[in-house]
Structure formats: structure tokens, C-alpha cells
Amino acid sequence: MVHTTIKKALKNTLQDLRREDFLEFCHQLKDRREEPRVRYRDVENKSVLQITDLLVSTFTERGALPVALSILKLINCNQEAETLYSETRACVDVKGDPTFRKTSSGELDTKPSQEALNHKAGRWPFSSPVTGKTPQEVEAEAEARVLSEGGDPRNERLVLSRFMIQFGQYKDQTFKWLLENDLSYAAKMVACHEKQRQNTKCQSSLMANKDSLTRYAIAYPEVLQEVRFHRGYERSLQSGQEGKALVGFGKHRSETLEDLYESKDRDKISYINFLRNKKSTCDQGSKMDIAVRYILQRDKKQAAASRKRRASSDTRTGAPPKVAAKRGGRPGVGGRGGW
């Protein structure tokens, strides 16, 4: 049973803030760049109750929660953010659906979150042996976790979201946490596991855990999109198959690099030109970096082929090779009249 509401939890959290932290919270609230925006006069000299009402009326009760959590973390009130999240988790998470992160441009953020990076750093080097629990133990613990949060243990997806990962760098985190904090890694694991499942019927505890992760993850289109990208990327690693990788980002995310590059569509040509100028600004190893490197590689091959065709044409027509004139050369060499 849910013992609180989001609005009540927001009010309690703001009341627990120190005065200077509350003022900083209000300052950051009015400084948000995302829509809907909050005006200065809406937060100036307002009480906790008024700010709580403002959050709910502006963003809706459910929408106010991620806004408040992000601001609390921004002003380093991490303990308060954790408490707020814990108190409201059952209010918003009745189905076990992950909240996928977005970039400032609205794109799906597939890179590891700071929380994921901190988790990996804390586990390195891996010292504990990989001893996975049985599927029955994992499920029983997940059901107990759902009950402790006030959820319904009969909800299969909700229970599945609380399964603990039994392998790899995110061992002992939940499936839901993984999708929220490192979507690229999750999709890669699913793609690799599906490929592995084509060749084995092994029913080990580890494989069962990966089966469960796959069943949970592929229920979401965002994950399937990333799985498709990883499949295409794996194919592109084969010699001559570089263009088979999906773009994986932007408005042409579902296109292969080859199809995008060779398209005669004016909009796609413009997008290719846009990417050419991103060589020095995109993150190394990112999807954009992969796309830019492919485009520049194709450009280089096309330029070489063009030079070869011109040379071949000159040979057929008997045209003399072009010799560049040089200043300061010997008389009669490199120019018509010498000095």
C-alpha cells in the first residue's frame, strides 16, 4: 500500500532543506531552460507550500518529481534526493517501467550516467567471484523488494524490474536501474545474449538471468532501437560491411550509414554535410563519431576514384600530364619562358 503522495513527499523534502538550500532550489527552478519555464516572480519570497503547489501545477504531480530530483542533485542535496526518490518510488513505479534519460536536445541518452560511472569505479578491480544466485532466489528477492516498496508482487513486469543482475560490471543492480543508467550496455548485453541463444540451450543460472533481462528489456521500443544498432554495428565490423551499421541517432537514426550516404534526398545530403563538420566536436567512440568516420572514409575513397578516372581519361585522349610551374626553376623547366 502506498503511504504517501508525491505532493506530500515534495513538501516534506522542501521543509527539511536548510534555508540557504531552499533558496538555491528556488533559484535553480527559475533558471531551468526546459519547458515549461518558471518565472522569477513565481518563486520570489514564496513559502514551501507555495513552491510545492507551483511544482505540481506547472509540471503535474508526477512530472514535478523528476524536476525536483534533478534540482536537488544539482545543488548537492543528494541525501534529500535519495530520500524523496525512496518515498515516492511506489507512487510512480506501479508497472516497473524505466525512465529513459534524454540529452538536452531530446535524444535518447545511451551513455553511462554519472551514477553508473561511480558504480563501476567502486567495483574496480573486480575482486568477488561471479557466483550467481539461482533463478528462484533472484525472483524471491525481487518479490520481497516489490512488497517492501508497497507494490504488487503479482505484477510480473514490476517484479522483473527488481531482478538483480548476476553478472558483469553492474552485478547486484536491478534490471530497471540498468536501463535507466546505461542503456547502451544493456542493449549490447541483450544483442549478444540473443546471438548466443541461437547456438545453445544452456540453462545455467547465469543464462537464466540473461534470459530474464532480455525479456524485460525488449518490452521497450527504446531498447529494441539500441539492440538493432548493436546488431548492425557488429555486422559493420566485418570487412566491407562498414556501411551496414545504423546511424543510431538523430532524425535518420533508423537508416544504415550506407543508405544515408548514398541517398539523393536533399535533406539527407544536407545531413551528411552537417556531419562532415562534426569531426572535431563529437565524442570519440560515440555513434556520431562512427558516422563521421564512415562519411570521411567514403569521401576519401570517392576522391581517389575520381582522380583515377581523370588519369585514365587523360591517358585515353593523349593529353600531356600537367606539370606545375615552379618559381626559381631552371630555364625551360617548369615554365614557358624561363627566368
Side-chain angles (χ1 to χ4, degrees):
M1 180 181 295
V2 177
H3 299 290
T4 189
T5 65
I6 294 175
K7 186 174 182 179
K8 182 178 178 181
L10 285 170
K11 183 197 73 171
N12 292 340
T13 299
L14 295 179
Q15 282 179 333
D16 290 341
L17 293 178
R18 296 180 303 172
R19 177 64 181 171
E20 54 267 34
D21 288 334
F22 176 70
L23 293 175
E24 180 64 16
F25 181 95
C26 294
H27 175 75
Q28 294 296 336
L29 179 60
K30 76 173 179 61
D31 266 9
R32 288 180 73 256
R33 293 293 175 261
E34 300 87 349
E35 295 292 341
R37 302 282 295 277
V38 172
R39 296 168 298 184
Y40 175 74
R41 68 169 180 261
D42 293 332
V43 300
E44 185 182 17
N45 299 322
K46 294 297 190 294
S47 67
V48 165
L49 290 177
Q50 288 172 314
I51 294 298
T52 302
D53 288 338
L54 175 66
L55 285 166
V56 172
S57 63
T58 303
F59 305 105
T60 74
E61 187 167 359
R62 182 165 293 192
L65 182 59
V67 172
L69 288 171
S70 65
I71 294 177
L72 287 170
K73 292 177 181 178
L74 185 64
I75 63 176
N76 293 320
C77 291
N78 297 309
Q79 184 57 55
E80 289 82 355
E82 181 62 32
T83 300
L84 176 61
Y85 176 74
S86 299
E87 290 180 351
T88 57
R89 184 161 47 186
C91 300
V92 297
D93 190 17
V94 295
K95 295 181 179 178
D97 296 333
T99 301
F100 293 105
R101 293 174 297 122
K102 298 293 181 67
T103 65
S104 57
S105 62
E107 292 282 335
L108 196 63
D109 191 346
T110 62
K111 295 186 295 186
S113 67
Q114 187 58 52
E115 187 175 350
L117 294 174
N118 293 342
H119 178 83
K120 287 194 290 185
R123 283 183 55 82
W124 183 262
F126 300 128
S127 56
S128 57
V130 181
T131 53
K133 297 176 181 177
T134 67
Q136 293 77 18
E137 289 174 322
V138 173
E139 184 172 5
E141 289 181 356
E143 289 179 349
R145 198 168 293 112
V146 168
L147 277 171
S148 71
E149 296 168 0
D152 183 0
R154 296 169 299 179
N155 186 323
E156 182 181 0
R157 184 180 295 185
L158 179 59
V159 172
L160 204 54
S161 73
R162 299 303 194 269
F163 272 38
M164 288 287 195
I165 302 166
Q166 300 298 304
F167 59 90
Q169 60 195 23
Y170 296 124
K171 187 174 183 289
D172 296 331
Q173 291 290 355
T174 66
F175 291 175
K176 180 174 182 283
W177 182 95
L178 178 61
L179 266 58
E180 292 180 333
N181 287 279
D182 197 343
L183 180 56
S184 180
Y185 177 86
K188 185 177 181 179
M189 289 298 101
V190 169
C192 291
H193 180 65
E194 288 182 332
K195 185 176 181 180
Q196 190 177 10
R197 264 294 178 220
Q198 294 174 0
N199 302 313
T200 181
K201 294 183 178 180
C202 173
Q203 295 299 324
S204 67
S205 295
L206 180 59
M207 290 295 283
N209 193 243
K210 292 182 178 180
D211 286 340
S212 297
L213 173 60
T214 299
R215 190 166 76 254
Y216 174 68
I218 63 175
Y220 302 99
E222 294 88 346
V223 179
L224 286 175
Q225 174 183 310
E226 286 302 302
V227 170
R228 284 188 62 215
F229 172 79
H230 281 288
R231 287 173 183 160
Y233 180 69
E234 287 298 317
R235 288 196 300 272
S236 74
L237 296 178
Q238 302 172 20
S239 179
Q241 299 296 310
E242 295 83 359
K244 301 304 180 185
L246 294 181
V247 175
F249 65 93
K251 56 185 176 181
H252 301 300
R253 61 173 61 87
S254 298
E255 298 268 356
T256 66
L257 293 173
E258 183 178 60
D259 289 343
L260 181 65
Y261 186 89
E262 296 178 355
S263 175
K264 305 301 181 185
D265 180 79
R266 184 174 299 179
D267 179 59
K268 293 178 182 178
I269 292 172
S270 175
Y271 196 65
I272 288 290
N273 289 331
F274 163 76
L275 291 175
R276 284 190 177 101
N277 296 321
K278 289 292 183 179
K279 179 181 178 181
S280 60
T281 58
C282 56
D283 295 333
Q284 187 174 5
S286 66
K287 293 173 184 175
M288 182 177 286
D289 179 51
I290 293 170
V292 170
R293 284 191 283 112
Y294 174 79
I295 290 167
L296 297 180
Q297 184 184 49
R298 286 291 302 268
D299 287 347
K300 189 175 180 180
K301 288 181 178 179
Q302 282 200 353
S306 179
R307 288 194 298 270
K308 187 175 181 180
R309 285 195 300 270
R310 285 199 301 269
S312 177
S313 176
D314 289 344
T315 301
R316 288 196 302 270
T317 59
K322 296 179 181 179
V323 180
K326 297 182 180 179
R327 292 178 61 85
R330 290 178 296 167
V333 178
R336 292 186 178 181
W339 288 330

